[in-house]
Amino acid sequence: MNLPNQKSGLFYYSNEVSEALLNGTPVVALESTIISHGLPRPENLRVALEVESIVRSHGATPATIAMLEGRVHIGLDQAELEQIATRDDVFKTSIRDLATVSARKGFAATTVAATSHLAMVAGIEVFATGGLGGVHRYARESWDESADLTALSLLPITIVCSGVKSILDVGATLERLETLNVGVLVYGSHQFPGFYLSDSGFYVDWSLDDPSEIADVMAARRALQISSGLIIANPLPLTSQLDPDLHDQVLSDGLKLVDSKKISGKDVTPFLLDHFHRATHGQSLVVNTEIIVRNADLAARIAVANSLEMTRV
Ligand code: PSU
Ligand code: MN
């Protein structure tokens, strides 16, 4: 692990994150691909700032993670956040690309996979995002499965999300998560959420209702030396979800466009999210924003409970 006050090598810590890590106060990691590739401008910057302030309101410190000019930043100031939100040369970066972007002194927006890796190096245990990547529909032909899954199989991070993005094959993704030893808990329900939708239709064995219960699970994972990740799936309330009929129609149109425009690889997810935002005239953007804000809120409460747990032992 790096020293949190280290400003050498490739890791740069913001003052507030460095202080929090040194003092052992709660920290929540936040990813940057949502900002650069998941949300349209200028809402992306507004949401990034709102998410940070929600984390602070619970007494936790936000650590948005990205790479600027080849250096890893754990915690971004407003000017740095603005660069990620507005530059056109920010590369959507998974673990495999981190070193190359760094060596070229480039700008990287880190995916869930890359953010989890960097958070682990920094010693941050709790991470909030919107929806995880997973197995794409038609993966039988395309073999398109997000590196988020393999990253979570190897990194002991606790990630709060609204399930996997509903553009994916949710059932296949849940099967892969089981194979990859990734824990799945649902907050306040047994139904696995469907990102824009409150319920994906899939049942999960474990439902927890309180951040302190989740902190107990995290403590037990440490004691048992479980080295894979834990997903805390946080469903939207029914009143906030996207209309399911609208969702299904927009998704089926979007998948046809992916096919006809020959969109592939890492462009598929940003393309489909953008298609949703346009085709629903911003309704999906409102829902996506609420997802991210609620997940950051829950992650902050879990990080606070986890810190209490750590000081007790
Ligand atoms: N959640 C969102 N919006 C996003 C993402 C997640 O609400 O843009 C990003 C995350 O960074 C995730 C990535 O790691 O999408 C998955 O991309 P892919 O399917 O290409 O692996
Ligand atoms: Mn992919």
Side-chain angles (χ1 to χ4, degrees):
M1 204 217 293
N2 277 271
L3 286 175
N5 59 352
Q6 195 178 320
K7 284 219 169 192
S8 65
L10 291 180
F11 280 71
Y12 275 53
Y13 293 80
S14 69
N15 286 338
E16 61 171 343
V17 171
S18 156
E19 212 166 285
L21 290 172
L22 280 170
N23 295 331
T25 59
V27 179
V28 175
L30 300 163
E31 58 138 319
S32 43
T33 295
I34 281 189
I35 306 171
S36 63
H37 290 72
L39 298 167
R41 303 170 190 174
E43 284 84 357
N44 59 349
L45 180 60
R46 193 190 57 71
V47 174
L49 292 167
E50 184 180 344
V51 162
E52 292 206 343
S53 88
I54 292 279
V55 170
R56 286 195 187 94
S57 74
H58 291 287
T61 303
T64 303
I65 295 179
M67 186 178 274
L68 290 93
E69 294 172 335
R71 288 191 288 252
V72 174
H73 285 252
I74 310 285
L76 302 180
D77 64 24
Q78 177 143 356
E80 290 162 347
L81 270 179
E82 273 177 34
Q83 299 208 60
I84 295 298
T86 58
R87 290 180 73 105
D88 292 325
D89 59 351
V90 177
F91 194 81
K92 175 181 167 186
T93 304
S94 194
I95 294 175
R96 69 172 186 163
D97 302 311
L98 276 172
T100 310
V101 177
S102 176
R104 297 200 158 198
K105 311 265 184 283
F107 287 76
T110 49
T111 62
V112 165
T115 309
S116 299
H117 171 79
L118 298 171
M120 182 208 63
V121 176
I124 303 172
E125 267 189 276
V126 181
F127 173 13
T129 183
L132 283 184
V135 181
H136 281 259
R137 293 171 194 234
Y138 314 116
R140 246 186 217 101
E141 287 85 51
S142 68
W143 289 74
D144 190 353
E145 174 183 303
S146 178
D148 291 356
L149 297 186
T150 40
L152 288 178
S153 75
L154 296 170
L155 300 166
I157 194 104
T158 294
I159 181 161
V160 182
C161 60
S162 296
V164 300
K165 282 182 278 277
S166 52
I167 56 177
L168 303 168
D169 184 334
V170 179
T173 306
L174 284 169
E175 289 294 342
R176 291 289 291 144
L177 288 169
E178 181 185 10
T179 307
L180 293 166
N181 301 315
V182 179
V184 180
L185 313 178
V186 185
Y187 187 67
S189 169
H190 272 285
Q191 291 302 120
F192 194 64
F195 191 56
Y196 294 133
L197 305 177
S198 306
D199 179 359
S200 67
F202 289 87
Y203 179 90
V204 172
D205 289 337
W206 303 107
S207 169
L208 281 81
D209 298 318
D210 198 281
S212 69
E213 280 185 81
I214 295 168
D216 290 342
V217 175
M218 290 172 68
R221 280 163 46 85
R222 285 189 292 271
L224 294 165
Q225 300 191 27
I226 304 290
S227 55
S228 50
L230 177 67
I231 292 173
I232 311 297
N234 184 26
L236 276 175
L238 276 171
T239 47
S240 301
Q241 72 171 354
L242 198 60
D243 173 55
D245 292 333
L246 175 66
H247 173 274
D248 294 353
Q249 184 56 51
V250 170
L251 178 56
S252 113
D253 294 345
L255 291 170
K256 282 185 203 132
L257 283 171
V258 166
D259 196 39
S260 65
K261 288 179 179 273
K262 305 216 179 328
I263 311 284
S264 64
K266 70 199 214 340
D267 298 330
V268 172
T269 298
F271 176 85
L272 283 172
L273 292 176
D274 184 58
H275 168 73
F276 261 91
H277 297 332
R278 287 170 200 272
T280 64
H281 306 288
Q283 279 186 62
S284 70
L285 181 56
V286 173
V287 177
N288 202 348
T289 303
E290 184 167 350
I291 284 172
I292 301 165
V293 170
R294 290 179 81 259
N295 292 347
D297 184 279
L298 178 57
R301 289 183 286 134
I302 292 169
V304 169
N306 185 48
S307 283
L308 283 175
E309 183 91 37
M310 305 256 261
T311 48
R312 220 175 292 139
V313 279

